[in-house]
Amino acid sequence: MTYQWDFSPILARWPMLLDGLFNTVKIAAVAIVLGVLVGLVLALLRLSPRRFLRLPASVFVEFYRNTPPIVHFFWFFYALPVVLNISLDPLVAAVLALSTQSGAFYAEVFRGGIRSIERGQWEGARALGMSHAQLMRRIVLPQAATRMFAPFVERSFELIKTTALASTLAYGELLYRAMMVNSETFRPLEVYTAVALLYLVLLVSCSALARVAEARLTAYR
C-alpha cells in the first residue's frame, strides 16, 4: 500500500511551527552572543603565560568538548536549581547550556586564529613600540578575524542545530512545536519533513549572509 502524503493538517497548524522557528532563532542568537563573550575570555585565559589562569580555562574547554551536549541541558535544568536552590525556566537553562558549550568551542577558534599570526609580526610590532593592546587591535585581530571566520560560522551552525535539544526541556523551539503538531495530526512524515525544510531554509539563509559578511570582511582588510 502506497503512503498518501497529506500536508494539509500541517499547513493548518503552520503558525505553531513558525512560532517554534522564531524561538529557535531567538535562543540561538542569544547563545551565540553569550558564547562569543565566554569564548573570548577563555581564549585570552588559555593564551596567558600564567599557569593558574590557563589551567581552569583548559579544564572548562576540555570538559565541554568531551561531554554530550544533552548532559549540559539536563544539568542546568535539573541539577543547578538543586545546587543553588533556585528555579530556572527552560529558556534560561537552554541558553546557559548552549552558551557555555559554544563558548568552549569558540575559545578554540579564537585561540587558533590568534596563534596563527606569524611570530615575526608580533616581534616587529613590539620593536615599533606598540603596546599589547595596540598589537592586538592593529596587527593580530584584523588578520585573525579573517582566518577565524569560517570555523566560527561552522560552529554557529552547529549551535543552531543543537537548539533542538531544548525540546527535551519542553522549551517551545521548532522541534518541540513539531512534536506538538504531530501529537495532534498523527502525520509524522509530513511534520518532520516540514521541520527539516524549515531548518534547511534557515541555515541556507544564514550561509548566504555569512558569505556576504566574509566578502565584506575580506574587502575591508
Side-chain angles (χ1 to χ4, degrees):
M1 181 178 177
T2 304
Y3 182 80
Q4 298 296 318
W5 292 79
D6 182 10
F7 281 93
S8 58
I10 287 78
L11 292 174
R13 294 164 176 80
W14 198 245
M16 188 181 297
L17 292 178
L18 290 181
D19 179 65
L21 181 62
F22 173 78
N23 288 336
T24 290
V25 173
K26 178 175 67 175
I27 193 175
V30 174
I32 288 172
V33 171
L34 294 178
V36 166
L37 296 177
V38 172
L40 284 172
V41 172
L42 290 173
L44 293 175
L45 291 177
R46 295 204 72 188
L47 290 168
S48 172
R50 295 176 176 82
R51 190 170 183 273
F52 74 91
L53 294 177
R54 290 198 316 271
L55 184 59
S58 298
V59 170
F60 184 96
V61 169
E62 290 304 318
F63 172 80
Y64 275 96
R65 290 178 64 189
N66 294 285
T67 51
I70 196 169
V71 173
H72 311 150
F73 280 81
F74 286 166
W75 195 89
F76 278 108
F77 190 60
Y78 295 111
L80 184 62
V82 174
V83 174
L84 300 180
N85 193 27
I86 60 174
S87 61
L88 292 179
D89 63 36
L91 172 60
V92 174
V95 167
L96 287 173
L98 285 167
S99 58
T100 51
Q101 179 204 8
S102 62
F105 285 91
Y106 285 146
E108 292 302 278
V109 172
F110 300 151
R111 187 170 71 101
I114 292 172
R115 294 185 66 180
S116 71
I117 305 304
E118 294 75 10
R119 181 54 53 185
Q121 297 192 48
W122 294 74
E123 294 171 353
R126 291 194 180 100
L128 292 173
M130 288 188 184
S131 66
H132 185 75
Q134 291 174 322
L135 167 63
M136 294 295 289
R137 186 176 69 253
R138 297 180 182 178
I139 306 296
V140 176
L141 292 181
Q143 297 180 75
T146 304
R147 302 181 185 185
M148 294 185 296
F149 190 82
F152 173 81
V153 170
E154 179 64 27
R155 181 58 220 164
S156 298
F157 283 8
E158 289 299 319
L159 184 152
I160 292 172
K161 290 183 283 187
T162 306
T163 58
L165 292 179
S167 63
T168 61
L169 309 183
Y171 174 68
E173 49 72 61
L174 180 55
L175 183 59
Y176 186 76
R177 295 297 192 208
M179 291 189 290
M180 293 175 61
V181 171
N182 184 56
S183 67
E184 296 176 4
T185 62
F186 300 101
R187 308 293 298 188
L189 285 178
E190 291 87 344
V191 169
Y192 295 114
T193 297
V195 168
L197 290 174
L198 286 171
Y199 274 115
L200 180 64
V201 170
L202 174 61
L203 290 172
V204 168
S205 300
C206 290
S207 180
L209 292 174
R211 284 195 296 271
V212 172
E214 184 175 21
R216 291 187 177 181
L217 181 62
T218 302
Y220 176 76
R221 276 198 60 200

